[in-house]
Structure formats: C-alpha cells, structure tokens
C-alpha cells in the first residue's frame, strides 16, 4: 500500500478526531444513569439524537455538494459540537427537557460529523477511497485511546471535565484541517436540485441497500445502549464500560487494515452478508452470558461485525449513488440507516426491556438480523 500525502493526513485526522469524539460520546448513557434517569427515560432522551442526526445529515450532505466543500461544514459542525457538549456535561441536576435537547444535539451532531468526515475521505482522491478501511482503522485506534481517557477524567474530575477536554482537543483537530485538501467534487454537484434527490430516493437499488443497513444498524445501536444497560445492571462501572469501548476498538483494527484486500477478494456483498450473520451470533451471546467480564468477551466479535459492515455500507451506498451526488447519497443514507435506527432502537429496546427482560430484548434484536439477510438476497437479484 502506497501512502500518499492525502492518506497520511487522513490517518492523522482520524486518529486525533476519534480520540476526541470518544470522550463525550461514549459516556452519554452512563451520564444519564449518574444523573438519575431510568432505562425508559434514557431511551426517550437518547432517541432524540436520531432526530437531530436525520435532519442534520439530510441538509449537510446537500450543502457539502452544492458549495463544493466537505471540510468547511466539518469544521462548522465541530464548533457546534464543542458548545453543546460543554453545556450538556455541565448540568448534573435531573432536568429532563434540558438533557433531552442537549443529549440530542451532542449525539446527533457527533453522528453527522463522522458521516461528513467519511464522505470527505472517500472524495479526497482514489487512494483514500481504495484504502478507506486502513484510514478508518486509525479512527478505531483513536477511539481505543479516547474511551479510557474519558473514564479516567470522570473518575478524577467528574463529568463536567469532559466538555473542557473535548474543546481543547477539537482546537488541534480543526487546526489540522487547514493543512488538508478538501474533497474533490463532481462539476455537476453545484447544480443539484430537488428533482435529483427525488430520483435518488426512488432508485430501487439505493433504497434497498439503505433498508438493509437500517436493520443492521438497529442491531449495532442496541450494542451501544441495551448492552450497556445490561452491563450496568450486572454491576459494571464507568471504568469497565470504558474498557469495553476500548477493547472493541482494538479488535476492529485487523479487518479495517485488511478491508481493501477483503473487498477485492470477496466483494462487498458477501462481506456484508457475513458481517450481518455474525451480528446475530454476537447478540445471542450477549443474551446468554451473565457477568460483565463475559459481556466484554462476547464483544470481541466486534472484529468481524462492525468493520465489515462499516466498510461495505460506504462502498455499496457509493455504488448506488450518482457521481455528482456522492456526498448527498452518503449522508442521506447515513441519516436513514444510522439516524432512524438511533431513533427507533432506544425506545423499542427500553420498552421491550420493561415488558420482558434485557436478555429477551437482546435475543429479539439479534434475530432481527435475518431480515437484513432476506433483503440482501432480494438485493442480489436486482
């Protein structure tokens, strides 16, 4: 693999940015538990992140294409991200509507920033596109470092310190972008109209691939929320939750680095189907084990779930999007399969957990992966 200047800069950007993103993002749920919200209340609050993510990603992708820049909107979003994170972690009294608003903004903007960063990487040049998996691996390394740093900061200085630490790191993140090349846009991007977006959203291939990843991401979102709820119920603290995030990030590295080779050898369709099946296996495991340590052991299956789904979601959506609408296609798809899953999953999982048990909820969500497999078979026949 030849490392170009643009690739090298992307390696550094993903590493630094994901250290900083992990600090506020990984502890939203434990923060709500610390403040005093129950499982259902946390589910309602966290579902608000999806509404912000859906709206923001629909518009940001369009603006990135129309104004021929991913970098500019990436930096604008980072500044907003810093402000809302500082406010959110500064209020430790139980004020439902305040936390609903600011948790929604933090989670929604975080997802949007990551989506724009991924699109920027894919549109920088062909080297970055072909080696997206390896570049994204540096994000996983950053997350692996940032997660325990967040836990240590909470234990030493409390939740209020997260906003300050994140702000300082974001200064370095934004500074780095001034030395980086912006995305290369198709010359027709400026002329995107509502008609173009309508055509995209009625394309059978595009719609089906988005639906496939929507179901997969309902499962992946439950890994962030319902699995953490079970670990908290089993007695895990912030340190163990942080260790789980860090270990999961570490296990992602091999397949992120091998992503280009795997795509070339097996193709993104087969990789997507295998990754989906392994999510089913993973959640059955979560439902069965009954200690925090064994929950972390099951989380090691992250190595064959998240990287494979992450890489193929980008390549398959990119293939289904017109050349002049790739940022729009990626961010709209992300708004749907990540945003809608984030809206549905916390409420659905909270309700199921209240009605049944957390183990039954994990089993039901895991088995829903067969819906994606069925849709994948239909997609292959188009």
């Amino acid at each position: 693999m030849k490392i170009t200047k643009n690739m090298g800069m992307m390696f550094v950007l993903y590493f630094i940015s994901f250290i900083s993103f992990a600090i506020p993002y990984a502890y939203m749920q434990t923060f709500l538990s610390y403040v005093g919200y129950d499982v259902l209340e946390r589910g309602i609050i966290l579902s608000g992140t999806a509404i912000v993510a859906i709206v923001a990603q629909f518009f940001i992708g369009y603006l990135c294409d129309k104004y021929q820049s991913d970098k500019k909107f990436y930096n604008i979003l980072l500044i907003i991200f810093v402000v809302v994170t500082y406010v959110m972690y500064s209020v430790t009294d139980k004020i439902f509507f305040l936390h609903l608003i600011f948790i929604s903004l933090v989670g929604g903007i975080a997802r949007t920033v990551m989506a724009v960063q991924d699109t920027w990487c894919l549109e920088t040049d062909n080297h970055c596109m072909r080696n997206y998996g390896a570049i994204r691996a540096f994000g996983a390394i950053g997350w692996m470092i940032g997660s325990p740093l967040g836990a240590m900061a909470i234990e030493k200085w409390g939740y209020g310190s997260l906003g300050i630490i994140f702000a300082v790191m974001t200064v370095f993140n934004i500074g780095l972008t001034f030395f980086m090349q912006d995305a290369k846009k198709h010359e027709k991007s400026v002329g995107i109209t509502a008609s173009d977006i309508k055509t995209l959203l009625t394309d059978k291939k595009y719609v089906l691939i988005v639906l496939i990843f929507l179901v997969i991401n309902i499962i992946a979102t439950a890994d962030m929320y319902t699995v953490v709820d079970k670990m908290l119920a089993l007695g895990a603290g912030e340190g163990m939750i942080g260790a789980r995030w860090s270990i999961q990030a570490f296990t992602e590295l091999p397949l992120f680095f091998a992503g280009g080779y795997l795509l070339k050898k097996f193709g993104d369709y087969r990789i997507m189907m295998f990754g989906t099946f392994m999510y089913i296996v993973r959640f059955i495991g979560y439902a069965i084990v009954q200690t925090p340590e064994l929950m972390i052991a099951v989380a090691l299956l992250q190595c064959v779930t998240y990287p494979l789904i992450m890489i193929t979601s980008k390549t398959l959506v990119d293939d289904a999007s017109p050349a002049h609408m790739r940022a729009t296609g990626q961010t709209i798809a992300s708004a749907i399969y990540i945003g809608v899953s984030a809206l549905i999953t916390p409420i659905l999982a909270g309700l199921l957990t209240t009605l049944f048990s957390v183990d039954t909820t994990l089993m039901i969500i895991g088995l829903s992966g067969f819906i994606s497999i069925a849709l994948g078979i239909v997609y292959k026949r188009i």
Side-chain angles (χ1 to χ4, degrees):
M1 178 178 66
K2 180 183 177 182
I3 300 177
T4 64
K5 179 182 177 181
N6 287 335
M7 284 176 60
M9 295 299 285
M10 279 292 171
F11 286 149
V12 178
L13 179 67
Y14 270 79
F15 177 69
I16 293 175
S17 65
F18 273 72
I19 291 175
S20 65
F21 295 162
I23 289 170
Y25 191 79
Y27 296 98
M28 292 190 298
Q29 193 166 353
T30 60
F31 173 70
L32 291 174
S33 178
Y34 168 79
V35 171
Y37 294 103
D38 62 28
V39 173
L40 190 55
E41 287 173 327
R42 293 200 299 269
I44 294 169
I45 291 172
L46 291 167
S47 68
T49 66
I51 297 172
V52 175
I54 292 167
V55 174
Q57 289 182 61
F58 263 98
F59 283 102
I60 290 296
Y62 169 76
L63 293 173
C64 288
D65 279 336
K66 184 173 180 63
Y67 293 100
Q68 303 280 286
S69 175
D70 291 343
K71 180 166 71 171
K72 180 188 299 182
F73 291 99
Y74 175 78
N75 284 334
I76 291 171
L77 286 168
L78 279 181
I79 293 169
I80 299 171
F81 193 4
V82 166
V83 173
V84 296
T85 296
Y86 179 79
V87 173
M88 184 193 82
Y89 281 117
S90 296
V91 181
T92 55
D93 293 326
K94 189 175 179 181
I95 307 173
F96 182 84
F97 286 105
L98 185 144
H99 286 125
L100 174 62
I101 292 168
F102 282 93
I103 286 279
S104 298
L105 289 170
V106 169
I109 292 171
R111 291 170 182 270
T112 306
V113 166
M114 288 185 237
V116 172
Q117 184 168 323
D118 286 339
T119 304
W120 178 10
C121 176
L122 293 169
E123 293 188 316
T124 296
D125 60 32
N126 287 332
H127 290 289
C128 290
M129 179 184 289
R130 287 197 299 267
N131 294 285
Y132 168 75
I135 292 170
R136 184 59 181 75
F138 279 80
I141 295 171
W143 196 277
M144 181 176 65
I145 295 170
S147 297
L149 284 179
M152 287 187 285
I154 293 168
E155 290 173 3
K156 189 167 186 179
W157 300 301
Y159 278 100
S161 66
L162 298 186
I164 298 171
I165 295 169
F166 179 54
V168 172
M169 296 197 68
T170 300
V171 172
F172 291 99
N173 195 355
I174 293 175
L176 177 64
T177 66
F178 287 108
F179 299 94
M180 297 180 65
Q181 176 185 300
D182 205 340
K184 291 182 179 178
K185 299 289 184 176
H186 195 281
E187 60 183 12
K188 289 178 64 180
S189 296
V190 178
I192 287 177
T193 65
S195 178
D196 291 316
I197 296 175
K198 181 181 178 181
T199 300
L200 178 71
L201 295 176
T202 54
D203 181 272
K204 290 182 180 179
K205 187 175 181 181
Y206 181 85
V207 170
L208 192 55
I209 202 65
V210 170
L211 287 175
I212 290 169
F213 285 108
L214 170 59
V215 178
I216 296 172
N217 275 275
I218 288 173
I219 303 172
T221 303
D223 183 66
M224 292 189 290
Y225 298 142
T226 312
V227 172
V228 172
D229 279 333
K230 179 170 179 177
M231 290 186 69
L232 290 171
L234 292 173
E238 284 89 350
M240 187 165 284
I241 300 296
R244 172 182 173 270
W245 284 109
S246 186
I247 291 168
Q248 285 189 174
F250 179 76
T251 65
E252 296 168 4
L253 296 179
L255 289 191
F256 267 133
F257 279 117
Y261 169 78
L262 293 173
L263 286 172
K264 185 176 180 180
K265 185 172 179 63
F266 299 106
D268 44 18
Y269 171 77
R270 281 190 285 179
I271 293 173
M272 175 194 71
M273 295 292 273
F274 175 72
T276 303
F277 178 75
M278 292 309 297
Y279 258 124
I280 297 171
V281 173
R282 180 176 174 178
F283 268 71
I284 291 172
Y286 280 141
I288 293 171
V289 302
Q290 296 300 323
T291 67
E293 292 78 12
L294 287 176
M295 292 289 285
I296 292 176
V298 174
L300 294 175
L301 287 174
Q302 179 89 348
C303 68
V304 287
T305 52
Y306 183 76
L308 300 183
I309 295 304
M310 181 68 179
I311 293 170
T312 56
S313 69
K314 301 301 177 184
T315 59
L316 287 166
V317 169
D318 206 55
D319 287 343
S321 304
H324 67 293
M325 293 183 67
R326 281 184 176 153
T328 305
Q330 287 285 353
T331 51
I332 288 178
S334 180
I336 295 170
Y337 66 67
I338 293 180
V340 173
S341 65
L343 176 63
I344 293 172
T345 309
I347 296 176
L348 176 63
L351 182 61
L352 288 173
T353 301
T354 302
L355 292 175
F356 303 107
S357 68
V358 69
D359 290 333
T360 302
T361 301
L362 289 168
M363 186 68 72
I364 291 170
I365 290 172
L367 293 176
S368 69
F370 284 112
I371 298 172
S372 272
I373 290 177
L375 290 172
I377 294 170
V378 175
Y379 171 83
K380 187 66 173 177
R381 294 177 179 176
I382 294 179

